[in-house]
Amino acid sequence: MGDIDKGAHGLVEVPVDTFAGFIFLNPDKQAKPLAEFLGAEVVERLSAYKLDR
């Protein structure tokens, strides 16, 4: 492949969060945390399903 210009083709840093055993990437660097975005009610309701197991 030869040399790769990492400035033009490098990895991009993005916010990462986990919820219920899943990994979420968000390209919006200004995004609030996933649990805050979902809201306490959604987090509470989904916790009963034990998705992280």
Side-chain angles (χ1 to χ4, degrees), residues 23-45:
I23 300 170
F24 292 85
L25 306 174
N26 191 330
D28 180 0
K29 292 184 179 187
Q30 304 303 316
K32 52 187 165 181
L34 182 60
E36 185 180 333
F37 172 78
L38 293 174
E41 183 178 344
V42 171
V43 172
E44 174 87 18
R45 286 180 184 224

Side-chain angles (χ1 to χ4, degrees), residues 4-52:
I4 296 175
D5 179 0
K6 293 179 184 176
H9 304 290
L11 297 176
V12 177
E13 185 175 333
V14 295
V16 177
D17 205 347
T18 59
F19 177 75
F22 296 92
I23 300 170
F24 292 85
L25 306 174
N26 191 330
D28 180 0
K29 292 184 179 187
Q30 304 303 316
K32 52 187 165 181
L34 182 60
E36 185 180 333
F37 172 78
L38 293 174
E41 183 178 344
V42 171
V43 172
E44 174 87 18
R45 286 180 184 224
L46 290 176
S47 68
Y49 294 100
K50 301 186 185 337
L51 297 171
D52 57 331

